[in-house]
């Protein structure tokens, strides 16, 4: 997809403690990078000759949400209209597990309606992402 028509955002529950917000953003970002490796650009060298790994080639604003907004947003993202968007969610179920195997087991017995989302990352067609998140303020 042409970078001009692409948009990536993270929407995070602003009521969470700062450490959980930071953890949520980190997890969402790592997962986005795995599923959209073409967005991570080339390594760069500074004037001292030191190499810095490539970073994402577009901005990823972190937007402010709350539990109800995130729940509604996640429900909308399951609609066929948004099936082509890359969506990463991070929930209370995931955050409560120490090992990934525990998350797999716990998620298998929790209904989606019972999940509390801490954050959601969305990447895809700019118009669709903006339609969903364009009115949300930056998380500051």
């Amino acid at each position: 997809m042409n970078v001009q028509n692409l948009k990536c955002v993270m929407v995070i529950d602003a009521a969470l403690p700062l450490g959980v917000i930071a953890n949520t953003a980190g997890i969402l970002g790592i997962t986005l990078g795995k599923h959209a490796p073409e967005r991570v650009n080339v390594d760069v060298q500074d004037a001292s000759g030191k190499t810095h790994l490539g970073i994402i080639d577009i901005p990823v604003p972190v937007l402010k949400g709350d539990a109800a907004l995130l729940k509604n947003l996640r429900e909308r993202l399951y609609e066929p209209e948004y099936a082509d968007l890359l969506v990463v969610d991070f929930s209370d179920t995931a955050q409560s597990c120490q090992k990934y195997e525990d998350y797999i087991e716990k998620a298998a017995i929790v209904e989606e309606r019972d999940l509390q989302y801490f954050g959601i990352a969305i990447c895809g067609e700019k118009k669709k992402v903006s339609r969903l998140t364009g009115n949300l303020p930056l998380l500051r």
Side-chain angles (χ1 to χ4, degrees), residues 53-133:
L53 293 179
I55 60 173
I56 191 166
D57 61 0
I58 60 171
V60 182
V62 180
L63 306 175
K64 182 179 182 177
D66 61 26
L69 181 136
L70 285 163
K71 189 67 164 170
N72 179 267
L73 179 59
R74 188 64 185 107
E75 287 174 12
R76 290 189 67 197
L77 287 162
Y78 282 119
E79 295 172 5
E81 172 183 4
Y82 300 111
D84 59 333
L85 298 178
L86 173 58
V87 177
V88 182
D89 62 56
F90 185 62
S91 68
D92 58 337
T93 301
Q95 199 272 339
S96 70
C97 297
Q98 295 293 319
K99 296 186 286 185
Y100 204 79
E101 294 78 20
D102 295 341
Y103 174 44
I104 293 169
E105 289 177 21
K106 200 169 186 181
I109 60 171
V110 175
E111 296 285 336
E112 191 280 333
R113 70 176 177 264
D114 296 326
L115 294 173
Q116 177 185 348
Y117 293 103
F118 288 180
I120 299 173
I122 310 166
C123 194
E125 183 186 335
K126 185 182 268 185
K127 286 182 183 180
K128 287 184 181 183
V129 175
S130 292
R131 189 176 322 133
L132 292 164
T133 65

